């Protein structure tokens, strides 16, 4: 056989690198007015990951329904999955990710956390508060020696009910019990009693809201926030862990992993959900520069 030598050719293989992504926002949370949200690659990648197994929601049309007993309720559903009821979590803004409940209003799944800058700003604030709480628990600036009014204000801000006075703890516990009883109620009398109990508890807890405005406590939180701003310079990725839990990655001002947090959703009331944030150890993230 006779061999023939041909000229070499260069072949360029182009494949998206999920680690080299456009960040959702810069520190001011301003999207470019010249670029629609849907065109951000990071939005598309996270939406695919968060939708695994539930892609049918993207291809079907929802229908609306209103029921009037035991109380008036409007929700949406998919004809192919009538067992799920969809309600917006933050109704004051456009509903990018309705939450999914069963017929009793128990949270089953949280919709995709992609879509609106207002929602991400809320997430940013929650993660920032978690960082400040960690500093408080570590007695940063010897805060444990502050005056009682300051410590009370900070404990309320950081939702540390067990460390506030006995009255606050009593009614915080009552509010939590009432919330669970509302979700579990199977009769109208049970539901009515639980709502009355919840109303009584919330009326007392409202008295404590003004205590959070204690001047030294506000200044302490301002100081801590100023020190953590660089850690949360860029929202990098939001990854679904399960139906009601997400992992949130922030980059610092050096484009390194600044903070990792876990967002866990739970029922606040029937057809209402809220979440809590907890901090996780930082991870190595390789970003092509």
């Amino acid at each position: 056989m006779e061999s023939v030598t041909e000229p070499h050719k260069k072949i360029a293989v182009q494949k998206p690198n999920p680690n080299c992504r456009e960040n959702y926002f810069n520190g001011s949370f301003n999207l470019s007015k010249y670029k629609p949200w849907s065109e951000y690659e990071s939005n598309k990648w996270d939406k695919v990951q968060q939708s695994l197994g539930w892609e049918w929601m993207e291809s079907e049309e929802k229908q609306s329904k209103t029921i009037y007993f035991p109380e008036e309720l409007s929700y949406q559903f998919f004809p192919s999955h009538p067992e799920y009821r969809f309600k917006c979590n933050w109704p004051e803004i456009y509903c990018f990710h309705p939450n999914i409940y069963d017929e009793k209003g128990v949270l089953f799944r949280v919709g995709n956390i992609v879509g609106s800058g207002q929602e991400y700003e809320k997430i940013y604030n929650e993660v920032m508060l978690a960082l400040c709480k960690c500093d408080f628990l570590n007695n940063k600036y010897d805060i444990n020696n502050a005056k009682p009014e300051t410590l009370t204000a900070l404990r309320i801000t950081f939702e540390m009910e067990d460390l506030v006075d006995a009255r606050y703890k009593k009614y915080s516990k009552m509010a939590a019990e009432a919330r669970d009883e509302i979700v579990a109620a199977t009769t109208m009398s049970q539901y009515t009693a639980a709502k009355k109990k919840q109303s009584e508890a919330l009326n007392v807890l409202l008295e404590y809201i003004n205590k959070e405005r204690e001047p030294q406590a506000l200044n302490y939180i301002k100081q801590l926030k100023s020190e953590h701003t660089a850690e949360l310079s860029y929202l990098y990725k939001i990854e679904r862990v399960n139906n009601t839990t997400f992992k949130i990655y922030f980059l610092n001002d050096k484009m390194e992993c600044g903070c990792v947090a876990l967002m866990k959703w739970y029922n606040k009331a029937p057809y209402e959900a809220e979440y809590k944030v907890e901090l996780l150890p930082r991870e190595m993230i390789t970003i092509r520069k």
Side-chain angles (χ1 to χ4, degrees), residues 51 63 129 168 226 233:
S51 300
Q63 296 184 12
L129 196 63
Y168 184 84
S226 69
S233 294

Side-chain angles (χ1 to χ4, degrees), residues 40-57:
Y40 279 74
E41 285 296 327
S42 49
N43 171 72
K44 296 177 183 177
W45 290 334
D46 286 0
K47 187 174 183 180
V48 169
Q49 188 274 332
Q50 293 177 20
S51 300
L52 291 176
W54 293 72
E55 292 85 355
W56 51 270
M57 290 177 57

Side-chain angles (χ1 to χ4, degrees), residues 18-34:
N19 290 318
C20 183
R21 48 169 51 206
E22 294 173 280
N23 299 303
Y24 289 112
F25 299 96
N26 58 25
S28 61
F29 288 92
N30 290 321
L31 286 172
S32 169
K33 63 181 179 180
Y34 304 107

Side-chain angles (χ1 to χ4, degrees), residues 55-276:
E55 292 85 355
W56 51 270
M57 290 177 57
E58 301 297 326
S59 58
E60 299 181 24
E61 290 290 331
K62 290 195 297 288
Q63 296 184 12
S64 299
K65 185 175 182 178
T66 301
I67 57 176
Y68 300 94
F69 188 83
E71 63 180 18
E72 186 172 339
L73 172 70
S74 297
Y75 63 90
Q76 293 182 308
F77 70 97
F78 286 93
S80 63
H81 295 76
E83 68 274 24
Y84 300 130
R85 295 180 176 184
F86 295 77
K87 288 279 291 182
C88 290
N89 183 63
W90 290 308
E92 69 274 11
I93 56 179
Y94 183 80
C95 190
F96 283 94
H97 59 274
N99 288 338
I100 304 168
Y101 302 86
D102 65 15
E103 61 181 9
K104 293 184 178 181
V106 178
L107 181 67
F108 179 78
R109 180 181 169 90
V110 176
N112 297 339
I113 308 297
V114 290
S116 168
Q118 288 174 286
E119 295 168 13
Y120 288 112
E121 188 164 6
K122 179 174 168 59
I123 293 169
Y124 172 94
N125 291 334
E126 292 286 345
V127 174
M128 175 64 83
L129 196 63
L131 289 169
C132 294
K133 181 178 180 179
C134 185
D135 288 339
F136 176 67
L137 292 173
N138 289 326
N139 193 29
K140 193 166 187 179
Y141 296 117
D142 197 26
I143 190 62
N144 289 341
N145 287 323
K147 59 184 179 181
E149 294 84 355
T150 300
L151 293 176
T152 295
L154 291 170
R155 288 164 181 164
I156 293 173
T157 299
F158 295 131
E159 299 182 349
M160 300 168 65
E161 290 86 354
D162 291 342
L163 298 179
V164 189
D165 61 66
R167 184 168 178 261
Y168 184 84
K169 288 189 285 186
K170 173 186 174 181
Y171 285 96
S172 292
K173 181 180 179 181
M174 184 186 294
E177 291 174 347
R179 180 192 64 214
D180 294 339
E181 289 168 6
I182 290 171
V183 174
T186 57
T187 67
M188 180 58 72
S189 60
Q190 291 176 344
Y191 179 80
T192 302
K195 289 290 287 185
K196 182 179 179 180
K197 181 177 179 180
Q198 184 184 55
S199 179
E200 179 186 352
L202 293 180
N203 284 337
V204 173
L205 293 178
L206 284 174
E207 298 176 14
Y208 286 84
I209 291 179
N210 288 333
K211 294 185 178 182
E212 293 184 63
R213 308 297 299 174
E214 196 276 330
Q216 192 174 33
L218 292 178
N219 285 337
Y220 181 70
I221 292 175
K222 286 180 182 178
Q223 177 63 36
L224 298 181
K225 285 183 176 180
S226 69
E227 295 170 4
H228 289 297
T229 299
E231 296 173 57
L232 307 182
S233 294
Y234 299 94
L235 177 55
Y236 176 65
K237 179 169 63 173
I238 298 183
E239 179 179 273
R240 182 184 289 278
V241 177
N242 55 39
N243 278 343
T244 57
T245 307
F246 297 85
K247 207 171 184 179
I248 309 167
Y249 295 83
F250 283 90
L251 302 182
N252 61 24
D253 53 357
K254 297 179 181 179
M255 302 301 287
E256 301 167 338
C257 184
C259 177
V260 183
L262 204 63
M263 171 195 282
K264 294 183 177 180
W265 289 77
Y266 60 92
N267 265 106
K268 184 178 179 181
Y271 300 103
E272 291 184 28
E274 189 52 90
Y275 63 83
K276 289 187 179 295

